[in-house]
Amino acid sequence: MSTSVTGTAQVESPPAAGLGQPIGAGIVTALVGFTSSFAVVLAGLTAMGATSAQAASGLLAVCVTQAVGMIVLSRRYRMPITLAWSTPGAALLASTGAVAGGWAAAVGAFAVVGGLIVLTGFWDRLGALIAAIPVEIAQAMLAGVLLPLCLAPVKALPVSPAVVVPVIVTWLVLQRFAPRWSVLAAFAVAAVGSSIDIAVHHRRLDLPAMVPRLEWTVPHWSWQAMIGVAVPLYVVTMAAQNIPGTAVMRTFDYRVPWRAAMTVTGLGTMLGAPAGGHAINLAAISAALSAAPSAHPDPKRRWIAACTAGCAYLVLALASGALVMLVAAAPKGVLETVAGLALIATLASALTAALTPAAHRSAAALTFLVAASGIALLGIGAAFWALVAGLVVRWFLPPVAS
Protein backbone atom coordinates (compact mmCIF):
# COMPACT_ATOMS: atom_id res chain seq x y z
CA MET A 1 0.00 0.00 0.00
CA SER A 2 1.45 3.38 -0.96
CA THR A 3 1.70 6.19 1.59
CA SER A 4 2.38 9.91 1.49
CA VAL A 5 4.17 11.70 4.31
CA THR A 6 3.71 15.36 5.21
CA GLY A 7 5.72 16.37 8.26
CA THR A 8 5.03 13.78 10.92
CA ALA A 9 1.58 12.83 9.57
CA GLN A 10 1.34 9.75 7.40
CA VAL A 11 -1.76 9.37 5.24
CA GLU A 12 -2.56 6.10 3.55
CA SER A 13 -3.91 6.22 0.04
CA PRO A 14 -6.05 3.45 -1.44
CA PRO A 15 -4.15 0.81 -3.40
CA ALA A 16 -4.14 1.28 -7.14
CA ALA A 17 -6.86 -0.59 -9.00
CA GLY A 18 -8.00 -0.43 -12.58
CA LEU A 19 -11.47 -0.20 -14.04
CA GLY A 20 -11.62 -3.96 -14.44
CA GLN A 21 -12.30 -4.50 -10.74
CA PRO A 22 -15.49 -2.40 -10.41
CA ILE A 23 -16.69 -3.46 -13.85
CA GLY A 24 -16.29 -7.11 -12.89
CA ALA A 25 -18.07 -6.49 -9.58
CA GLY A 26 -20.95 -4.82 -11.42
CA ILE A 27 -21.37 -7.74 -13.82
CA VAL A 28 -21.37 -10.18 -10.90
CA THR A 29 -23.95 -8.02 -9.10
CA ALA A 30 -26.28 -8.16 -12.10
CA LEU A 31 -25.80 -11.88 -12.73
CA VAL A 32 -26.38 -12.82 -9.10
CA GLY A 33 -29.39 -10.50 -8.76
CA PHE A 34 -31.00 -11.69 -12.00
CA THR A 35 -30.42 -15.43 -11.83
CA SER A 36 -31.19 -15.72 -8.12
CA SER A 37 -34.76 -14.52 -8.38
CA PHE A 38 -36.08 -14.06 -11.92
CA ALA A 39 -38.01 -17.31 -11.47
CA VAL A 40 -39.79 -15.75 -8.49
CA VAL A 41 -40.80 -12.77 -10.62
CA LEU A 42 -42.21 -15.00 -13.36
CA ALA A 43 -44.08 -17.11 -10.81
CA GLY A 44 -45.58 -14.00 -9.21
CA LEU A 45 -46.71 -12.39 -12.45
CA THR A 46 -48.16 -15.65 -13.74
CA ALA A 47 -50.09 -16.17 -10.50
CA MET A 48 -51.58 -12.70 -10.93
CA GLY A 49 -53.07 -13.80 -14.24
CA ALA A 50 -50.40 -12.72 -16.71
CA THR A 51 -50.04 -14.66 -19.94
CA SER A 52 -46.59 -15.89 -20.97
CA ALA A 53 -46.13 -12.81 -23.15
CA GLN A 54 -47.24 -10.48 -20.34
CA ALA A 55 -44.94 -12.19 -17.81
CA ALA A 56 -42.01 -11.83 -20.22
CA SER A 57 -42.94 -8.18 -20.69
CA GLY A 58 -43.04 -7.67 -16.91
CA LEU A 59 -39.59 -9.20 -16.47
CA LEU A 60 -38.29 -7.01 -19.30
CA ALA A 61 -39.88 -3.92 -17.73
CA VAL A 62 -38.34 -4.37 -14.27
CA CYS A 63 -34.94 -5.11 -15.82
CA VAL A 64 -34.99 -1.92 -17.88
CA THR A 65 -36.44 0.40 -15.24
CA GLN A 66 -34.05 -0.71 -12.51
CA ALA A 67 -31.14 -0.57 -14.96
CA VAL A 68 -31.91 3.01 -15.94
CA GLY A 69 -32.46 3.93 -12.30
CA MET A 70 -29.08 2.49 -11.28
CA ILE A 71 -27.25 4.32 -14.02
CA VAL A 72 -28.95 7.63 -13.18
CA LEU A 73 -28.49 7.44 -9.40
CA SER A 74 -24.95 6.07 -9.40
CA ARG A 75 -23.68 8.65 -11.91
CA ARG A 76 -25.53 11.55 -10.29
CA TYR A 77 -24.43 10.87 -6.71
CA ARG A 78 -21.18 8.98 -7.40
CA MET A 79 -22.33 6.21 -5.05
CA PRO A 80 -22.76 2.47 -5.70
CA ILE A 81 -26.56 2.72 -5.47
CA THR A 82 -27.90 -0.57 -6.81
CA LEU A 83 -31.55 -1.28 -7.46
CA ALA A 84 -33.48 -4.53 -7.72
CA TRP A 85 -36.94 -5.79 -8.41
CA SER A 86 -38.94 -6.57 -5.30
CA THR A 87 -38.28 -10.28 -4.80
CA PRO A 88 -40.39 -10.42 -1.60
CA GLY A 89 -43.06 -8.55 -3.53
CA ALA A 90 -42.99 -11.11 -6.33
CA ALA A 91 -43.28 -13.89 -3.74
CA LEU A 92 -46.27 -12.06 -2.30
CA LEU A 93 -47.91 -11.98 -5.73
CA ALA A 94 -47.29 -15.71 -6.19
CA SER A 95 -48.98 -16.51 -2.90
CA THR A 96 -51.87 -14.07 -3.42
CA GLY A 97 -52.97 -15.29 -6.83
CA ALA A 98 -55.47 -13.68 -9.17
CA VAL A 99 -57.57 -10.81 -7.82
CA ALA A 100 -60.92 -9.32 -8.76
CA GLY A 101 -60.45 -7.54 -12.06
CA GLY A 102 -57.75 -9.93 -13.25
CA TRP A 103 -54.39 -8.95 -14.65
CA ALA A 104 -55.47 -5.38 -15.45
CA ALA A 105 -56.37 -4.83 -11.78
CA ALA A 106 -52.98 -6.17 -10.74
CA VAL A 107 -51.32 -3.70 -13.11
CA GLY A 108 -53.35 -0.90 -11.52
CA ALA A 109 -52.11 -2.03 -8.09
CA PHE A 110 -48.49 -1.96 -9.32
CA ALA A 111 -48.93 1.64 -10.47
CA VAL A 112 -50.39 2.63 -7.08
CA VAL A 113 -47.39 1.08 -5.32
CA GLY A 114 -45.12 3.28 -7.43
CA GLY A 115 -47.10 6.34 -6.43
CA LEU A 116 -46.87 5.40 -2.75
CA ILE A 117 -43.10 4.96 -3.01
CA VAL A 118 -42.73 8.43 -4.53
CA LEU A 119 -44.98 9.85 -1.80
CA THR A 120 -42.81 8.18 0.85
CA GLY A 121 -39.80 10.14 -0.35
CA PHE A 122 -41.58 13.47 0.09
CA TRP A 123 -43.80 12.72 3.09
CA ASP A 124 -41.71 11.78 6.10
CA ARG A 125 -44.73 10.67 8.13
CA LEU A 126 -45.57 7.93 5.64
CA GLY A 127 -42.03 6.59 5.81
CA ALA A 128 -42.15 6.77 9.60
CA LEU A 129 -45.45 4.85 9.58
CA ILE A 130 -43.92 2.01 7.60
CA ALA A 131 -40.82 2.02 9.82
CA ALA A 132 -43.14 1.85 12.87
CA ILE A 133 -44.55 -1.54 11.79
CA PRO A 134 -42.94 -3.98 14.26
CA VAL A 135 -40.11 -5.89 12.64
CA GLU A 136 -41.37 -9.24 13.87
CA ILE A 137 -44.83 -8.67 12.33
CA ALA A 138 -43.47 -7.56 8.95
CA GLN A 139 -40.99 -10.45 8.85
CA ALA A 140 -43.62 -12.97 9.96
CA MET A 141 -45.88 -11.84 7.12
CA LEU A 142 -42.98 -12.20 4.69
CA ALA A 143 -42.14 -15.67 6.03
CA GLY A 144 -45.74 -16.81 5.65
CA VAL A 145 -45.82 -15.55 2.08
CA LEU A 146 -42.56 -17.38 1.29
CA LEU A 147 -43.46 -20.72 2.87
CA PRO A 148 -45.67 -22.09 0.03
CA LEU A 149 -43.02 -21.15 -2.53
CA CYS A 150 -40.24 -22.79 -0.51
CA LEU A 151 -42.32 -25.99 -0.33
CA ALA A 152 -42.45 -26.14 -4.13
CA PRO A 153 -39.21 -28.15 -4.58
CA VAL A 154 -40.56 -30.86 -2.26
CA LYS A 155 -43.92 -30.96 -4.07
CA ALA A 156 -42.19 -31.09 -7.48
CA LEU A 157 -40.07 -34.13 -6.57
CA PRO A 158 -42.71 -36.77 -7.34
CA VAL A 159 -43.93 -34.86 -10.41
CA SER A 160 -40.66 -34.32 -12.33
CA PRO A 161 -37.94 -36.22 -10.42
CA ALA A 162 -35.57 -36.61 -13.37
CA VAL A 163 -35.11 -32.83 -13.61
CA VAL A 164 -35.85 -31.69 -10.08
CA VAL A 165 -33.46 -34.04 -8.21
CA PRO A 166 -30.31 -32.87 -10.07
CA VAL A 167 -31.41 -29.25 -9.53
CA ILE A 168 -31.74 -29.73 -5.76
CA VAL A 169 -28.48 -31.68 -5.48
CA THR A 170 -26.60 -29.01 -7.43
CA TRP A 171 -28.02 -26.27 -5.23
CA LEU A 172 -27.12 -28.17 -2.06
CA VAL A 173 -23.52 -28.85 -3.13
CA LEU A 174 -22.96 -25.23 -4.17
CA GLN A 175 -24.49 -24.04 -0.89
CA ARG A 176 -21.58 -25.83 0.79
CA PHE A 177 -18.75 -24.68 -1.45
CA ALA A 178 -19.90 -21.52 -3.32
CA PRO A 179 -23.23 -20.21 -1.94
CA ARG A 180 -23.27 -17.12 -4.13
CA TRP A 181 -23.49 -19.23 -7.26
CA SER A 182 -25.82 -21.95 -5.97
CA VAL A 183 -29.01 -20.60 -7.53
CA LEU A 184 -27.28 -19.76 -10.81
CA ALA A 185 -25.91 -23.32 -11.01
CA ALA A 186 -29.30 -24.76 -10.09
CA PHE A 187 -30.93 -22.74 -12.87
CA ALA A 188 -28.28 -23.91 -15.36
CA VAL A 189 -28.96 -27.55 -14.45
CA ALA A 190 -32.71 -26.91 -14.69
CA ALA A 191 -32.24 -25.35 -18.14
CA VAL A 192 -30.18 -28.32 -19.37
CA GLY A 193 -32.62 -30.85 -17.91
CA SER A 194 -35.60 -29.01 -19.36
CA SER A 195 -33.95 -28.78 -22.78
CA ILE A 196 -33.33 -32.53 -22.80
CA ASP A 197 -36.93 -33.20 -21.73
CA ILE A 198 -38.24 -30.86 -24.44
CA ALA A 199 -36.15 -32.63 -27.08
CA VAL A 200 -37.09 -36.13 -25.91
CA HIS A 201 -40.80 -35.35 -25.92
CA HIS A 202 -40.56 -33.33 -29.15
CA ARG A 203 -42.15 -30.21 -27.72
CA ARG A 204 -42.09 -27.22 -30.04
CA LEU A 205 -40.88 -23.82 -28.91
CA ASP A 206 -42.51 -20.61 -30.09
CA LEU A 207 -39.36 -19.00 -31.48
CA PRO A 208 -40.97 -15.65 -32.46
CA ALA A 209 -42.15 -15.25 -28.85
CA MET A 210 -38.51 -15.33 -27.69
CA VAL A 211 -37.94 -11.88 -29.14
CA PRO A 212 -38.16 -9.40 -26.23
CA ARG A 213 -41.12 -7.06 -26.50
CA LEU A 214 -43.43 -5.09 -24.23
CA GLU A 215 -47.08 -6.06 -23.81
CA TRP A 216 -49.06 -3.02 -22.68
CA THR A 217 -52.06 -3.37 -20.37
CA VAL A 218 -54.45 -0.55 -19.48
CA PRO A 219 -54.62 -0.44 -15.65
CA HIS A 220 -57.93 -1.25 -14.00
CA TRP A 221 -58.73 0.10 -10.55
CA SER A 222 -60.20 -2.49 -8.20
CA TRP A 223 -60.59 -1.84 -4.47
CA GLN A 224 -59.84 -5.50 -3.78
CA ALA A 225 -56.55 -5.20 -5.67
CA MET A 226 -55.72 -1.94 -3.91
CA ILE A 227 -56.16 -3.48 -0.46
CA GLY A 228 -55.10 -7.04 -1.19
CA VAL A 229 -52.18 -6.36 -3.55
CA ALA A 230 -51.07 -2.71 -3.47
CA VAL A 231 -50.95 -2.29 0.32
CA PRO A 232 -49.08 -5.54 1.13
CA LEU A 233 -46.77 -5.09 -1.88
CA TYR A 234 -45.91 -1.56 -0.76
CA VAL A 235 -45.34 -2.64 2.86
CA VAL A 236 -43.16 -5.62 2.00
CA THR A 237 -41.16 -3.63 -0.56
CA MET A 238 -40.46 -0.87 1.93
CA ALA A 239 -39.91 -3.06 4.98
CA ALA A 240 -37.94 -5.87 3.32
CA GLN A 241 -36.08 -3.92 0.61
CA ASN A 242 -35.87 -0.14 0.84
CA ILE A 243 -35.28 0.25 4.57
CA PRO A 244 -32.76 -2.64 4.81
CA GLY A 245 -31.15 -1.38 1.61
CA THR A 246 -30.31 1.96 3.20
CA ALA A 247 -28.98 0.12 6.28
CA VAL A 248 -26.67 -2.04 4.16
CA MET A 249 -25.31 1.03 2.40
CA ARG A 250 -24.76 2.73 5.75
CA THR A 251 -22.48 -0.13 6.83
CA PHE A 252 -20.16 0.89 3.98
CA ASP A 253 -20.36 4.60 4.98
CA TYR A 254 -22.75 5.63 2.21
CA ARG A 255 -25.83 7.71 2.96
CA VAL A 256 -28.39 6.99 0.27
CA PRO A 257 -30.20 10.14 -0.96
CA TRP A 258 -33.59 8.98 0.29
CA ARG A 259 -35.87 11.36 -1.58
CA ALA A 260 -34.06 10.88 -4.88
CA ALA A 261 -33.96 7.10 -4.48
CA MET A 262 -37.67 6.88 -3.67
CA THR A 263 -38.53 9.21 -6.56
CA VAL A 264 -36.53 7.21 -9.09
CA THR A 265 -37.75 3.80 -7.93
CA GLY A 266 -41.34 5.01 -7.53
CA LEU A 267 -41.47 6.60 -10.96
CA GLY A 268 -39.74 3.55 -12.43
CA THR A 269 -42.41 1.33 -10.88
CA MET A 270 -45.19 3.54 -12.25
CA LEU A 271 -43.67 3.61 -15.75
CA GLY A 272 -43.06 -0.14 -15.76
CA ALA A 273 -46.50 -1.08 -14.42
CA PRO A 274 -48.45 -0.92 -17.73
CA ALA A 275 -45.84 -3.29 -19.19
CA GLY A 276 -46.28 -5.69 -16.26
CA GLY A 277 -43.45 -4.60 -13.97
CA HIS A 278 -44.51 -5.08 -10.35
CA ALA A 279 -42.01 -2.95 -8.34
CA ILE A 280 -38.39 -1.84 -8.21
CA ASN A 281 -36.55 -0.72 -5.10
CA LEU A 282 -33.18 -0.32 -3.43
CA ALA A 283 -31.19 -3.55 -3.44
CA ALA A 284 -30.60 -5.05 0.01
CA ILE A 285 -28.53 -8.24 -0.14
CA SER A 286 -26.91 -7.65 -3.53
CA ALA A 287 -26.11 -4.04 -2.61
CA ALA A 288 -22.98 -5.25 -0.81
CA LEU A 289 -21.55 -6.71 -4.02
CA SER A 290 -21.06 -3.22 -5.47
CA ALA A 291 -20.57 -1.24 -2.23
CA ALA A 292 -17.95 -3.44 -0.53
CA PRO A 293 -14.17 -2.88 -0.79
CA SER A 294 -14.00 -5.90 -3.10
CA ALA A 295 -15.65 -3.72 -5.76
CA HIS A 296 -12.82 -1.14 -5.52
CA PRO A 297 -10.40 -0.09 -2.78
CA ASP A 298 -11.42 3.55 -3.26
CA PRO A 299 -15.01 4.18 -2.05
CA LYS A 300 -15.29 7.07 -4.52
CA ARG A 301 -14.82 4.68 -7.45
CA ARG A 302 -17.32 2.00 -6.49
CA TRP A 303 -20.14 3.82 -8.25
CA ILE A 304 -18.68 2.36 -11.46
CA ALA A 305 -19.74 -1.10 -10.25
CA ALA A 306 -23.36 0.00 -9.79
CA CYS A 307 -23.38 1.73 -13.17
CA THR A 308 -21.96 -1.41 -14.80
CA ALA A 309 -24.64 -3.50 -13.10
CA GLY A 310 -27.26 -1.26 -14.69
CA CYS A 311 -25.73 -1.74 -18.13
CA ALA A 312 -25.56 -5.51 -17.57
CA TYR A 313 -29.26 -5.59 -16.69
CA LEU A 314 -30.06 -3.96 -20.03
CA VAL A 315 -28.31 -6.87 -21.71
CA LEU A 316 -30.01 -9.47 -19.49
CA ALA A 317 -33.38 -7.91 -20.32
CA LEU A 318 -33.00 -9.24 -23.85
CA ALA A 319 -33.28 -12.79 -22.49
CA SER A 320 -36.70 -12.26 -20.91
CA GLY A 321 -38.75 -13.73 -23.77
CA ALA A 322 -36.48 -16.76 -24.21
CA LEU A 323 -36.59 -17.53 -20.48
CA VAL A 324 -40.38 -17.44 -20.38
CA MET A 325 -40.65 -19.76 -23.38
CA LEU A 326 -38.17 -22.19 -21.83
CA VAL A 327 -40.08 -22.14 -18.56
CA ALA A 328 -43.42 -22.67 -20.35
CA ALA A 329 -42.08 -25.74 -22.17
CA ALA A 330 -40.20 -27.16 -19.18
CA PRO A 331 -41.53 -30.08 -17.11
CA LYS A 332 -44.06 -29.17 -14.46
CA GLY A 333 -42.59 -27.83 -11.24
CA VAL A 334 -39.14 -26.87 -12.54
CA LEU A 335 -39.71 -23.10 -12.38
CA GLU A 336 -41.24 -23.42 -8.93
CA THR A 337 -38.27 -25.50 -7.76
CA VAL A 338 -35.73 -22.88 -8.78
CA ALA A 339 -37.85 -20.11 -7.25
CA GLY A 340 -38.28 -22.03 -3.99
CA LEU A 341 -34.56 -22.78 -3.65
CA ALA A 342 -33.77 -19.10 -4.29
CA LEU A 343 -36.00 -18.05 -1.39
CA ILE A 344 -34.94 -20.52 1.32
CA ALA A 345 -32.28 -18.20 2.75
CA THR A 346 -34.77 -15.32 2.80
CA LEU A 347 -37.33 -17.53 4.56
CA ALA A 348 -34.78 -18.53 7.19
CA SER A 349 -33.85 -14.89 7.86
CA ALA A 350 -37.50 -13.83 8.06
CA LEU A 351 -38.39 -16.63 10.49
CA THR A 352 -35.40 -15.78 12.68
CA ALA A 353 -36.34 -12.09 12.80
CA ALA A 354 -40.00 -12.91 13.44
CA LEU A 355 -39.69 -15.51 16.19
CA THR A 356 -36.47 -14.59 18.01
CA PRO A 357 -37.99 -11.75 20.12
CA ALA A 358 -39.97 -13.46 22.88
CA ALA A 359 -42.12 -10.46 23.85
CA HIS A 360 -44.60 -10.77 20.98
CA ARG A 361 -43.87 -14.24 19.65
CA SER A 362 -47.54 -15.28 19.66
CA ALA A 363 -48.52 -12.33 17.47
CA ALA A 364 -45.68 -13.10 15.08
CA ALA A 365 -46.63 -16.78 14.94
CA LEU A 366 -50.26 -15.92 14.18
CA THR A 367 -49.17 -13.48 11.47
CA PHE A 368 -47.03 -16.22 9.91
CA LEU A 369 -49.86 -18.77 9.98
CA VAL A 370 -52.44 -16.43 8.45
CA ALA A 371 -50.06 -15.39 5.67
CA ALA A 372 -49.12 -19.01 4.94
CA SER A 373 -52.76 -20.12 4.88
CA GLY A 374 -53.47 -18.40 1.57
CA ILE A 375 -57.00 -17.45 2.64
CA ALA A 376 -58.89 -14.75 0.79
CA LEU A 377 -61.72 -12.84 2.47
CA LEU A 378 -63.83 -10.27 0.62
CA GLY A 379 -61.55 -10.79 -2.37
CA ILE A 380 -58.51 -9.65 -0.35
CA GLY A 381 -55.47 -11.91 -0.04
CA ALA A 382 -53.93 -13.48 3.05
CA ALA A 383 -50.97 -11.09 3.33
CA PHE A 384 -53.19 -8.14 4.23
CA TRP A 385 -55.20 -10.12 6.77
CA ALA A 386 -51.99 -11.49 8.28
CA LEU A 387 -50.73 -7.95 8.83
CA VAL A 388 -54.04 -6.89 10.39
CA ALA A 389 -54.25 -9.98 12.61
CA GLY A 390 -50.68 -9.63 13.78
CA LEU A 391 -51.02 -5.96 14.70
CA VAL A 392 -54.32 -6.55 16.54
CA VAL A 393 -53.00 -9.50 18.54
CA ARG A 394 -49.77 -7.67 19.32
CA TRP A 395 -51.79 -4.74 20.66
CA PHE A 396 -54.21 -6.94 22.62
CA LEU A 397 -51.78 -9.38 24.27
CA PRO A 398 -49.33 -8.07 26.86
CA PRO A 399 -45.65 -8.60 26.04
CA VAL A 400 -44.15 -11.79 27.47
CA ALA A 401 -41.09 -11.37 29.66
CA SER A 402 -38.05 -13.03 28.13
Side-chain angles (χ1 to χ4, degrees):
M1 180 178 292
S2 61
T3 60
S4 60
V5 179
T6 304
T8 58
Q10 180 171 308
V11 180
E12 293 187 350
S13 60
L19 287 177
Q21 187 171 346
I23 289 175
I27 293 173
V28 169
T29 299
L31 285 174
V32 171
F34 185 93
T35 58
S36 65
S37 57
F38 83 88
V40 184
V41 174
L42 294 180
L45 297 179
T46 302
M48 283 279 106
T51 64
S52 294
Q54 289 167 337
S57 174
L59 182 60
L60 174 64
V62 288
C63 281
V64 171
T65 51
Q66 72 186 28
V68 173
M70 269 188 276
I71 294 170
V72 169
L73 288 171
S74 61
R75 284 181 60 86
R76 169 64 178 82
Y77 293 98
R78 289 300 194 265
M79 290 185 194
I81 301 174
T82 51
L83 305 182
W85 52 56
S86 178
T87 301
L92 168 72
L93 301 180
S95 67
T96 301
V99 295
W103 173 242
V107 168
F110 301 161
V112 170
V113 171
L116 289 173
I117 293 174
V118 173
L119 185 60
T120 304
F122 287 88
W123 189 18
D124 293 338
R125 288 188 178 181
L126 182 57
L129 181 63
I130 296 300
I133 295 175
V135 172
E136 65 270 20
I137 299 300
Q139 291 296 323
M141 180 187 75
L142 176 59
V145 164
L146 295 177
L147 180 62
L149 292 175
C150 291
L151 289 174
V154 181
K155 294 180 178 180
L157 271 173
V159 179
S160 306
V163 179
V164 172
V165 170
V167 171
I168 295 176
V169 170
T170 300
W171 174 84
L172 184 61
V173 171
L174 268 293
Q175 277 288 307
R176 170 69 184 273
F177 298 104
R180 180 184 297 177
W181 302 104
S182 59
V183 177
L184 174 59
F187 167 68
V189 172
V192 172
S194 298
S195 299
I196 294 173
D197 185 85
I198 291 169
V200 168
H201 292 90
H202 304 289
R203 296 193 188 96
R204 299 184 64 181
L205 296 176
D206 187 0
L207 296 181
M210 293 186 178
V211 178
R213 63 177 181 270
L214 296 175
E215 293 282 336
W216 300 103
T217 300
V218 177
H220 172 70
W221 314 109
S222 158
W223 69 268
Q224 293 98 328
M226 295 302 107
I227 298 174
V229 177
V231 172
L233 179 57
Y234 168 68
V235 170
V236 80
T237 298
M238 293 299 301
Q241 294 277 177
N242 283 330
I243 294 175
T246 59
V248 170
M249 291 292 285
R250 201 174 297 122
T251 64
F252 296 103
D253 295 326
Y254 293 106
R255 293 188 62 84
V256 174
W258 178 254
R259 180 168 295 180
M262 293 303 98
T263 299
V264 169
T265 55
L267 289 177
T269 298
M270 294 174 70
L271 291 173
H278 65 295
I280 63 171
N281 42 247
L282 290 171
I285 298 173
S286 60
L289 297 175
S290 291
S294 57
H296 200 284
D298 185 357
K300 296 181 180 179
R301 301 287 286 170
R302 293 174 198 164
W303 68 270
I304 299 172
C307 192
T308 301
C311 296
Y313 264 107
L314 291 176
V315 176
L316 291 170
L318 300 177
S320 56
L323 286 172
V324 172
M325 286 301 101
L326 176 63
V327 166
K332 187 177 180 181
V334 173
L335 170 66
E336 292 81 1
T337 296
V338 176
L341 295 174
L343 291 169
I344 287 177
T346 306
L347 173 64
S349 298
L351 283 172
T352 300
L355 300 177
T356 297
H360 297 284
R361 191 170 290 163
S362 295
L366 181 63
T367 303
F368 168 73
L369 291 173
V370 174
S373 70
I375 64 166
L377 299 175
L378 303 175
I380 301 170
F384 175 79
W385 296 119
L387 189 63
V388 171
L391 291 174
V392 170
V393 172
R394 190 181 188 276
W395 167 79
F396 183 76
L397 293 181
V400 177
S402 56

